[in-house]
Amino acid sequence: ISMRCLIPDVLTAAQCATLAATTGVLAWQDDRLLPVLSHLSSCLPKADYGPPSYVRVEHRQEGHGWHCDKGNNGHMDWCSYTASVLLSPPEDFSGGVFKFEDGQEHNHYRDLLYYSSDERHMVQPHRGSRKVLLMFMNDATEDA
């Protein structure tokens, strides 16, 4: 069952800047994630943050072609939910628009966007500094 939701203003500009200072994998226990995780735990009560779930800050200028987060070749079959927060303010980059296959677009600076991992989407290439917090989560009920 596909689902998506946008929650505005989950992080402050200062919180985004602090997270954007780190690129790569983070620990779910990182205190900087608390505002995001508090929203996710109420919106996605079945989300499991244990392995293989992971969270990272990404800077990828070439963007991402059309894909779903379960993996176009099933390499992340375990992934049920994806969430992201754009950490870079719009004036720091050009391009980099996030698009769903149905045409819905998001430049979700400071906003939490979450969706089921079978939703096809892409991110346009960009110029400048565009960092995004990405979270890939398993569904705890699928392990039971």
Side-chain angles (χ1 to χ4, degrees):
I1 300 169
S2 291
M3 117 340 257
R4 66 175 84 140
C5 185
L6 183 74
I7 303 173
D9 302 324
V10 167
L11 293 174
T12 65
Q15 289 169 319
C16 285
T18 301
L19 279 161
T22 310
T23 303
V25 176
L26 301 176
W28 288 107
Q29 298 79 17
D30 190 315
D31 288 344
R32 297 174 296 173
L33 298 175
L34 286 173
V36 176
L37 293 177
S38 71
H39 282 284
L40 283 178
S41 62
S42 60
C43 300
L44 297 174
K46 296 178 182 176
D48 178 12
Y49 304 101
S53 297
Y54 67 96
V55 56
R56 67 187 310 251
V57 174
E58 184 175 86
H59 178 251
R60 185 179 159 109
Q61 292 206 261
E62 65 272 24
H64 287 279
W66 289 105
H67 68 286
C68 67
D69 292 331
K70 283 196 171 289
N72 290 346
N73 300 312
H75 71 281
M76 280 179 43
D77 263 348
W78 55 266
C79 189
S80 298
Y81 312 109
T82 302
S84 67
V85 178
L86 182 58
L87 301 174
S88 302
E91 59 271 15
D92 285 3
F93 65 95
S94 61
V97 177
F98 178 103
K99 295 181 179 185
F100 283 110
E101 201 168 39
D102 65 7
Q104 192 178 87
E105 296 184 0
H106 295 281
N107 274 318
H108 55 297
Y109 175 56
R110 299 181 42 226
D111 302 339
L112 174 62
L113 174 65
Y114 67 89
Y115 50 93
S116 46
S117 298
D118 57 356
E119 287 260 15
R120 283 179 53 81
H121 60 281
M122 62 91 71
V123 179
Q124 294 176 327
H126 71 274
R127 289 191 175 172
S129 181
R130 179 191 185 275
K131 292 193 177 180
V132 64
L133 177 67
L134 298 173
M135 294 154 279
F136 302 99
M137 296 149 288
N138 194 7
D139 184 325
T141 58
E142 290 181 9
D143 295 335

